[in-house]
Amino acid sequence: ALITPKTQAALLNALTGWDMDAQELLQAGERMFNLKRVYNCRMGVTMDDDIIPEMVPVPVSGNYVPKGQELREALEEYYEVRGWTKDGVPTPTKLKELAIPINSNSL
């Protein structure tokens, strides 16, 4: 059975006594993901580090894992969807949207 964000929020609220709705839970997850990326960028992680290891199982729909230029293009598209720069750094706009008080000049 699929556990929706609404169900996850209800379970979290029952466990903790919080009053978080599904949208707040999703935003908390996005904040954590972006904070992790900010930290990694500060530690020197770049697009070159965003690879798909050979040991990762291939999708059921085929035996295709993007590499080289195709991977770079896929990463650029992914970064854009995330609200990051073309190089994979969270933008000041994204950080502000998520209320992450970080000086983006230090990334």
Side-chain angles (χ1 to χ4, degrees):
L2 178 66
I3 299 178
T4 66
K6 184 176 179 180
T7 302
Q8 290 177 342
L11 291 169
L12 180 65
N13 291 337
L15 181 65
T16 62
W18 296 347
D19 185 24
M20 184 178 282
D21 64 25
Q23 187 59 39
E24 291 170 319
L25 180 62
L26 290 171
Q27 187 174 35
E30 187 176 5
R31 286 189 79 217
M32 288 185 280
F33 199 88
N34 278 270
L35 281 167
K36 176 183 166 188
R37 186 63 181 197
V38 166
Y39 176 81
N40 286 340
C41 289
R42 284 185 175 182
M43 295 297 111
V45 169
T46 68
M47 178 188 271
D48 293 335
D49 299 302
D50 288 332
I51 60 170
I52 301 173
E54 292 294 328
M55 69 179 151
V56 171
V58 294
V60 175
S61 62
N63 294 327
Y64 174 73
V65 175
K67 295 181 181 174
Q69 184 59 30
E70 289 180 333
L71 177 59
R72 288 190 75 79
E73 290 171 8
L75 284 171
E76 287 175 10
E77 185 177 339
Y78 172 75
Y79 296 160
E80 184 179 343
V81 168
R82 280 275 178 200
W84 298 349
T85 67
K86 189 175 175 181
D87 299 321
V89 179
T91 63
T93 302
K94 175 53 72 175
L95 297 177
K96 185 176 180 181
E97 172 190 321
L98 297 171
I100 298 173
I102 294 176
N103 180 354
S104 60
N105 295 331
S106 65
L107 295 178

